[in-house]
Amino acid sequence: MQVLDSKIDTASESFLANKAYMEAYVDKVRQVERKQLETELGYRPRAHQRGKLLPRERLALLLDPGTPFVELCSIAGYGMYDDSDGRFSGGNLITGIGTIARRRCLVIVWNYAIKGGTIDSVNVKKMLRIQQIAFRTRLPVVSLHESGGGNLANTSAMSDPWATQLFVEGGQIYGQQAELSAAGIPQITVSHGNATAGGAYQVALSDYIVLVRGKTQLFLAGPPLLKAGTGEDASAEELGGAEMHATVSGTGEYLAENDADAIRIAREITAQLPADPPLAHRGQAIEPPRYDPDELIGIFPEDRRTPVRIQEIIARIVDGSRFDELNPALDPGTVCGVAKIGGKQVGIISNNGPITPTGANKASQFIELCDQKLTPLVFLQNTTGFLVGTAVEREGQVKHSAKLIQHVANAKGPKLTILVGNSYGAGNYAMASRALKPEFVMSWPSARQALMGGAQGGKVMEIVTLKKWARKGIEPDDKMKQGLAGQSQMIEMGLETISESMFCSARLMDDGIIDPRDTRRLLSYLLDVALEARLRQVQPLSYGVQRL
Ligand code: COA
């Protein structure tokens, strides 16, 4: 297999400038995560005084020591609603994939230290995404729950125009919990504290429930609502305390003495689950890339018009920098080839420019070849989209691009996507963005997702407006022309803002922004998860596991 050759000089001015740009950007993302953590840590005195562990302290106890935790959707909600700098980001959840009792699990830790761990728009969207991952990966779901239930502060149309829709759509979370259980995917939940209304169902729809003595408060309506609704006086403990549920209602199987004890029990339950399936490549010697993956930090330039040779990125991701490229001479703008990442064979599809009809056909053919072997596909997105113009339309650009979308959507093997740079127009779909449901989508800070570039968007609207005026026989004066230029500028700025990586990640258009230096390690980990999913034995039931 051909060994890729790098032409990058890591001592050059351009490499160092790219590195400085990317490092600063990675730090901007980390700063949001730090702000979120600061909010949680601010709650520590109160939590400890009440004999409770902080959400991340609970997480640390849950995971096997020294094993990785791949956090997903960490900056969800950043800059949205009342968040400005990240302090209220994360959707009141800490989610990711980690190892518990030597089993890979999907982990959901309710961040009660932010807005009481309440359920709002961001929280619902993040939960729905995590459940999608559960269905695709078949990973057991372990939740450490503590939530104030529906966020009552965000209920006006002013504060959240989607509030009612999110309440209605949010009900999918419960339906999907039932479906996960019926699909044979176990859900283990510790009810660490408050679980009112919707929060109560998130606990109650779990297959295993661990209650914490003196801490669990699990009910449809808490004491104030009960008093307001029926006039009945009852303490939280009487209404829905751990002891009541363990000994009277039967809404829980395990009674723990405190947070740490509950997590110990959750680990013991996880240990009863089948072991992770063995992957063929385990134990094989893995060849590192010939070029240091750390150099990925200096490849992408701040100026997006500067072309990037995607083989430079591939050379720092794949084993031995070996890449068997399909037809490199036939439209080098679309790059397809077979390689290994961490010992696992993958088909890589990537871009060195816009996608032409020939490029679309090459990628479609490549997907068929990969499908024949059930080879996972890795998409490295850096495209301004499908090429436009009379020549390509006559070649059948629409049908060839539609065909590529069809191939990507229906490819049988696992799909993983890394957005490294541009991701515009239908190129975003055809290169397996969120819309085409790959198992995971991660972004580099340099990623930009948009229906088109800002300048092009401004220009299109300018042409449309001029045509409208001409149709009405209006001859624009200087003031109108100025207004038109202002409109183009606004559209350009708007598109630039809403395509930015942190803006998109906050709105869950990916599963997180990564440091480019982690790309190889992360892809290898996520490939394991996706390949194990194909081998993971689950036993579906007609209904979910029920408490009788
Ligand atoms: N909606 C909006 N915000 C809520 C909330 C809710 N349902 N429940 C809690 N919060 C907020 C609080 O205003 C507080 O915000 P702050 O950090 O800006 O001060 C934060 O979450 C923590 O709540 P607090 O009451 O200070 O913490 P606590 O540990 O003493 O109590 C609860 C936590 C959840 C037991 C308590 O807040 C409560 O009973 N909430 C209402 C629960 C409920 O009835 N929900 C029904 C929704 S359908």
Side-chain angles (χ1 to χ4, degrees):
M1 204 183 276
Q2 190 210 340
V3 176
L4 290 170
D5 195 17
S6 174
K7 296 179 174 50
I8 284 180
D9 173 5
T10 55
S12 67
E13 230 171 79
S14 60
F15 182 90
L16 296 174
N18 296 347
K19 182 170 179 278
Y21 154 71
M22 195 63 93
E23 277 175 347
Y25 217 146
V26 168
D27 194 54
K28 226 170 113 179
V29 179
R30 299 288 167 260
Q31 176 64 12
V32 170
E33 292 170 343
R34 279 195 290 271
K35 281 278 167 197
Q36 194 187 108
L37 183 62
E38 276 171 25
T39 310
E40 183 184 334
L41 293 176
Y43 205 86
R44 180 148 51 191
R46 207 160 138 192
H48 285 192
Q49 191 199 7
R50 294 179 178 188
K52 296 199 301 191
L53 294 172
L54 282 179
R56 275 174 209 275
E57 291 172 337
R58 290 174 179 168
L59 175 63
L61 278 185
L62 182 68
L63 299 172
D64 289 357
T67 56
F69 178 66
V70 173
E71 188 166 350
L72 299 170
C73 312
S74 66
I75 66 163
Y78 160 63
M80 294 173 71
Y81 304 102
D82 52 352
D83 181 63
S84 56
D85 57 6
R87 70 189 61 194
F88 299 129
S89 65
N92 312 337
L93 297 168
I94 304 159
T95 52
I97 301 174
T99 305
I100 303 168
R102 297 172 62 201
R103 271 102 184 129
R104 221 192 280 278
C105 296
L106 200 51
V107 179
I108 302 173
V109 181
W110 285 76
N111 198 342
Y112 71 86
I114 301 184
K115 298 186 204 167
T118 43
I119 305 168
D120 58 15
S121 305
V122 181
N123 176 280
V124 166
K125 280 195 179 293
K126 187 161 165 177
M127 273 299 285
L128 290 173
R129 172 61 192 148
I130 296 301
Q131 286 187 327
Q132 247 177 34
I133 295 174
F135 281 114
R136 288 295 283 278
T137 60
R138 299 172 155 196
L139 288 169
V141 183
V142 181
S143 302
L144 304 182
H145 186 269
E146 177 158 8
S147 164
N151 190 318
L152 301 171
N154 268 1
T155 45
S156 76
M158 291 276 282
S159 57
D160 183 359
W162 300 100
T164 307
Q165 191 197 6
L166 256 295
F167 157 69
V168 174
E169 285 184 1
Q172 287 178 76
I173 293 170
Y174 312 117
Q176 289 187 166
Q177 275 191 267
E179 286 170 17
L180 280 169
S181 181
I185 297 167
Q187 296 161 85
I188 301 164
T189 296
V190 177
S191 177
H192 282 281
N194 195 271
T196 308
Y201 286 116
Q202 294 198 336
V203 175
L205 283 158
S206 305
D207 303 324
Y208 302 85
I209 298 175
V210 185
L211 306 157
V212 185
R213 194 187 297 279
K215 297 288 185 291
T216 302
Q217 296 183 354
L218 177 71
F219 28 56
L220 280 191
L225 183 56
L226 188 69
K227 179 76 182 162
T230 67
E232 185 186 340
D233 276 311
S235 72
E237 195 58 32
E238 284 168 329
L239 263 181
E243 219 166 299
M244 190 284 282
H245 282 306
T247 59
V248 182
S249 79
T251 315
E253 291 71 42
Y254 303 86
L255 181 57
E257 294 307 318
N258 52 41
D259 276 1
D261 190 38
I263 292 166
R264 177 190 62 75
I265 295 170
R267 285 177 53 80
E268 279 181 11
I269 301 168
T270 311
Q272 296 167 16
L273 303 177
D276 287 342
L279 289 175
H281 72 278
R282 289 254 159 80
Q284 276 179 23
I286 308 291
E287 196 183 4
R290 299 227 172 158
Y291 301 96
D292 188 349
D294 278 357
E295 291 169 3
L296 290 169
I297 196 79
I299 293 184
F300 221 90
E302 183 168 7
D303 182 352
R304 331 193 55 74
R305 287 163 307 184
T306 312
V308 174
R309 200 177 142 257
I310 205 75
Q311 282 85 346
E312 295 288 358
I313 293 176
I314 298 172
R316 289 163 177 84
I317 292 177
V318 302
D319 297 1
S321 303
R322 293 174 201 280
F323 186 56
D324 185 14
E325 193 172 339
L326 181 78
N327 274 355
L330 180 78
D331 190 354
T334 297
V335 178
C336 306
V338 174
K340 281 188 175 183
I341 298 178
K344 287 133 318 208
Q345 180 162 293
V346 291
I348 296 177
I349 303 182
S350 193
N351 325 99
N352 269 332
I355 309 170
T356 64
T358 308
N361 280 330
K362 182 162 81 167
S364 297
Q365 181 193 350
F366 182 68
I367 290 171
E368 288 181 16
L369 290 172
C370 288
D371 253 13
Q372 225 179 27
K373 300 170 280 188
L374 270 185
T375 300
L377 295 171
V378 171
F379 294 84
L380 299 175
Q381 280 210 17
N382 185 27
T383 183
T384 46
F386 285 97
L387 197 64
V388 295
T390 318
V392 288
E393 295 290 2
R394 288 173 65 86
E395 278 180 60
Q397 180 67 305
V398 176
K399 79 173 178 189
H400 295 305
S401 53
K403 184 168 51 192
L404 179 54
I405 290 175
Q406 217 170 35
H407 274 81
V408 173
N410 291 313
K412 298 287 174 292
K415 286 167 259 179
L416 305 178
T417 301
I418 308 279
L419 304 166
V420 299
N422 297 323
S423 174
Y424 290 123
N428 173 275
Y429 309 147
M431 287 295 293
S433 66
R434 177 70 99 222
L436 271 82
K437 302 183 189 153
E439 268 82 343
F440 295 98
V441 182
M442 309 304 280
S443 301
W444 283 13
S446 42
R448 296 289 180 275
Q449 301 190 68
L451 72 157
M452 64 172 70
Q456 292 87 334
K459 193 74 199 159
V460 168
M461 274 318 289
E462 188 184 311
I463 294 166
V464 169
T465 310
L466 285 171
K467 265 177 71 181
K468 190 166 66 183
W469 286 341
R471 213 168 42 238
K472 292 182 177 173
I474 298 169
E475 185 58 44
D477 58 19
D478 285 352
K479 205 169 156 207
M480 288 171 82
K481 283 182 190 160
Q482 251 178 25
L484 192 57
Q487 172 188 288
S488 299
Q489 215 181 0
M490 290 290 285
I491 292 171
E492 180 171 349
M493 278 164 50
L495 275 168
E496 293 300 331
T497 304
I498 64 171
S499 66
E500 193 268 339
S501 55
M502 292 173 76
F503 184 95
C504 292
S505 198
R507 287 154 184 81
L508 293 147
M509 283 174 251
D510 62 24
D511 297 314
I513 300 183
I514 61 168
D515 184 327
R517 289 170 286 210
D518 294 332
T519 309
R520 172 177 159 80
R521 229 185 346 234
L522 184 84
L523 273 173
S524 180
Y525 185 94
L526 295 179
L527 276 166
D528 283 351
V529 172
L531 289 168
E532 278 172 7
R534 313 278 152 153
L535 304 172
R536 212 170 268 282
Q537 298 284 328
V538 289
Q539 181 54 55
L541 311 167
S542 314
Y543 292 92
V545 173
Q546 297 168 54
R547 288 185 178 78
L548 300 170

